[in-house]
Amino acid sequence: MPMRKEILVAALAATATLVVAAAALRRWKRRKQWQLKQAHRILRKFARDCATPVPKLWQIADDLESDMRASIASDGTRGKATLKMLVSYADAFPNGDEEGFYYGVNLRGTNFLILCARLGGKNAPISDIHREEISIPSNVMNGNSEDLFDFIAAEVAKFVSAHPENENEPVKRTELGFTLSYPVDDAAATLGNVIKWDSFSADDTVGKNMVKNINRALNKHGVNLRVSAMVDDTVGNLAGGRYYCRDSVAAITLGMGTNAAYIESAQELAHLNGPSRTSREMGISMEWGNFRSPHLPITEFDACLDSESLNPGSQVFQKLVSGTYLGEIVRRVLVKMAQETLLFGDPVPPKLMTPYLLRSPDMAAMHQDTSEDREVVNEKLKEIFGITDSTPMAREIVAEVCDVVSERAARLAGAGIVGIVKKLGRIENKRNIVTVEGGLYEHYRVFRNYLNSSIWEMLGNELSDNVIVEHSHGGSGAGAVFLASSQKENFDF
């Protein structure tokens, strides 16, 4: 009898334990379901706020066109216009007949590229390309413009010696194409005044004759190359597009930063002050990163990012489109989900709170992960944020957040392209080629597809074939080489 009682007690205890465990499991499942539901609620609201239906895209394209016209008409004062519309007075753009061996320099933030390549004329592809990336020493970074140009000229001398046009002949006096990854105020192109040098403390460069300075430095180092104009690197990409096709009307940079340049008739710019113009057309660097419109889909996350940035209220379009910010927007959405729904467990992973830790290449890798359980997303969450136990559903949500952010950015860029072509009055009856440079377009396949589809949706079957988007030719920095091929020998130093 006592044995039976003990067995009964044990059975009752086991049953009670199972009941408690089952109840705990049900509570855990309900909590997880609630957390997942809340995460999806945040995701749905974010997707609604980021939405870019075709009517909204047309409103943005129209606003961009109006801003372009207002900025050009304002003679540089701009008024309410947000675009700088910097006119490049480079002598000419290539026409495809250029032949020869050319050199170029692309000056960036803390480094610069030196390039050389051969053009075969008759739109023959660029060939024999050589590139060298040079880091700028800290003492030069902290120096003045003379130090900077002297260092560049010395490196160009070494590069030309290592890559001559012909092994046994000295370099003939010719153009050196020079592009900058900074906006250049070409109020006089041969002055090449820089509006803002984000990475240099060499403030004496602003307003000085940079072309004369670099040419003096080249002469000092015995380099038989000369610069006649410095232009924005997006204008350089525009020159590359013109070499391959006369119908190339615009160039877009979609990388860590973003910009647009396009061909404008000189007649449209006749009222602007500046040097005499020998060409019937000019390249304009729009600096479209600063474009603003009341129709831009700005969310709470974008507003917080902007207010906490070094330039609040500025570069609004750039903060929605460029690679520098896309990963950060994703991170901010994930932080809200982690805090309000414990999407990645309790406590919130500390690394998730670190701004700008998620880079756009990693975002692209997670977004484009097609494995069954999103294993790439899992690895990236571990590697970047130290999240070691993400669930498959959490990974799926991460990928969906990446999708929303990239789709909005790509479609906004597409609307910008349509706005430029609309300004030129070429949508309905002319072929327009737009070249795109930068990692977002080159390496982020889904982003590229979203951009192309946005243009197709806006223009429809009848007109979409009139706007053709192509990857730029020659790779990074090659615009300087194309620019060199078309410039006249008009040196002043």
Side-chain angles (χ1 to χ4, degrees), residues 108-123:
R108 300 165 167 184
T110 57
N111 63 73
F112 59 94
L113 279 180
I114 309 176
L115 310 90
C116 63
R118 188 176 303 281
L119 300 182
K122 304 301 180 187
N123 309 110

Side-chain angles (χ1 to χ4, degrees), residues 136-302:
I136 302 173
S138 58
N139 64 308
V140 176
M141 291 280 290
N142 296 321
N144 55 37
S145 59
E146 186 177 338
D147 297 331
L148 172 63
F149 292 133
D150 189 72
F151 179 76
I152 292 173
E155 293 297 327
V156 170
K158 296 176 191 174
F159 183 85
V160 170
S161 177
H163 304 284
E165 178 178 0
N166 297 300
E167 289 292 338
N168 300 318
E169 295 181 23
V171 173
K172 294 177 286 188
R173 181 169 172 137
T174 186
E175 269 285 341
L176 174 67
F178 205 112
T179 60
L180 300 127
S181 294
Y182 311 96
V184 176
D185 181 4
D186 284 327
T190 52
L191 298 183
N193 300 323
V194 169
I195 285 180
K196 186 175 183 181
W197 289 63
D198 292 330
S199 298
F200 290 94
S201 63
D203 292 334
D204 67 330
T205 301
V206 179
K208 286 193 174 182
N209 191 327
M210 296 202 304
V211 168
K212 285 185 178 180
N213 289 346
I214 186 64
N215 282 338
R216 287 195 191 104
L218 290 167
N219 190 51
K220 170 186 169 183
H221 287 276
V223 181
N224 207 18
L225 296 169
R226 296 295 179 267
V227 176
S228 69
M230 292 183 178
V231 303
D232 181 277
D233 56 355
T234 309
V235 176
N237 293 334
L238 185 57
R242 268 301 171 96
Y243 173 79
Y244 283 94
C245 184
R246 180 71 184 176
D247 292 328
S248 184
V249 298
I252 312 295
T253 298
L254 287 170
M256 297 307 287
T258 185
N259 192 19
Y262 75 102
I263 299 287
E264 183 64 270
S265 70
Q267 186 176 355
E268 282 278 308
L269 310 172
H271 65 288
L272 297 180
N273 297 323
S276 59
R277 302 163 181 81
T278 59
S279 176
R280 291 182 299 174
E281 55 188 21
M282 302 268 177
I284 291 187
S285 174
M286 294 172 58
E287 292 302 311
W288 80 352
N290 202 44
F291 170 62
R292 289 192 296 274
S293 162
H295 299 108
L296 289 173
I298 295 175
T299 70
E300 60 182 285
F301 306 100
D302 305 303

Side-chain angles (χ1 to χ4, degrees), residues 192-488:
N193 300 323
V194 169
I195 285 180
K196 186 175 183 181
W197 289 63
D198 292 330
S199 298
F200 290 94
S201 63
D203 292 334
D204 67 330
T205 301
V206 179
K208 286 193 174 182
N209 191 327
M210 296 202 304
V211 168
K212 285 185 178 180
N213 289 346
I214 186 64
N215 282 338
R216 287 195 191 104
L218 290 167
N219 190 51
K220 170 186 169 183
H221 287 276
V223 181
N224 207 18
L225 296 169
R226 296 295 179 267
V227 176
S228 69
M230 292 183 178
V231 303
D232 181 277
D233 56 355
T234 309
V235 176
N237 293 334
L238 185 57
R242 268 301 171 96
Y243 173 79
Y244 283 94
C245 184
R246 180 71 184 176
D247 292 328
S248 184
V249 298
I252 312 295
T253 298
L254 287 170
M256 297 307 287
T258 185
N259 192 19
Y262 75 102
I263 299 287
E264 183 64 270
S265 70
Q267 186 176 355
E268 282 278 308
L269 310 172
H271 65 288
L272 297 180
N273 297 323
S276 59
R277 302 163 181 81
T278 59
S279 176
R280 291 182 299 174
E281 55 188 21
M282 302 268 177
I284 291 187
S285 174
M286 294 172 58
E287 292 302 311
W288 80 352
N290 202 44
F291 170 62
R292 289 192 296 274
S293 162
H295 299 108
L296 289 173
I298 295 175
T299 70
E300 60 182 285
F301 306 100
D302 305 303
C304 288
L305 182 152
D306 178 58
S307 66
E308 295 170 14
S309 69
L310 297 175
N311 54 350
S314 180
Q315 298 295 307
V316 174
F317 195 66
Q318 170 136 304
K319 290 168 184 172
L320 297 173
V321 171
S322 74
T324 296
Y325 299 99
L326 299 188
E328 175 60 7
I329 298 167
V330 170
R331 185 196 68 83
R332 286 171 179 264
V333 177
L334 297 182
V335 166
K336 182 180 177 77
M337 290 178 171
Q339 290 175 333
E340 296 187 8
T341 75
L342 301 180
L343 183 66
F344 304 113
D346 190 13
V348 173
K351 283 188 174 182
L352 188 61
M353 306 304 294
T354 304
Y356 295 94
L357 199 59
L358 179 59
R359 298 165 56 252
S360 57
D362 294 318
M363 168 189 163
M366 292 194 295
H367 185 192
Q368 297 177 147
D369 178 14
T370 58
S371 61
E372 185 175 348
D373 287 329
R374 300 278 189 181
E375 287 305 317
V376 174
V377 176
N378 189 36
E379 288 303 313
K380 290 296 180 182
L381 291 175
K382 286 180 186 177
E383 173 190 330
I384 299 165
F385 298 122
I387 299 172
T388 58
D389 55 353
S390 63
T391 65
M393 287 305 300
R395 295 173 219 156
E396 190 65 35
I397 288 174
V398 170
E400 289 182 31
V401 174
C402 293
D403 184 68
V404 171
V405 172
S406 65
E407 181 179 19
R408 179 185 64 172
R411 288 172 70 83
L412 291 178
I417 290 172
V418 172
I420 293 171
V421 180
K422 183 172 182 279
K423 159 65 179 72
L424 295 174
R426 297 175 56 102
I427 286 180
E428 294 186 0
N429 54 14
K430 293 185 179 179
R431 181 171 177 258
N432 304 276
I433 293 178
V434 179
T435 57
V436 183
E437 165 68 17
L440 279 181
Y441 186 81
E442 182 179 0
H443 303 302
Y444 199 161
R445 171 182 46 80
V446 177
F447 181 98
R448 184 169 63 247
N449 292 342
Y450 276 141
L451 186 151
N452 290 328
S453 66
S454 68
I455 295 173
W456 181 86
E457 288 177 36
M458 291 180 72
L459 300 181
N461 286 331
E462 292 184 6
L463 299 177
S464 58
D465 288 343
N466 291 354
V467 178
I468 301 165
V469 179
E470 295 181 349
H471 187 248
S472 63
H473 305 276
S476 180
V481 171
F482 290 111
L483 182 71
S485 73
S486 61
Q487 300 306 296
K488 299 175 182 177

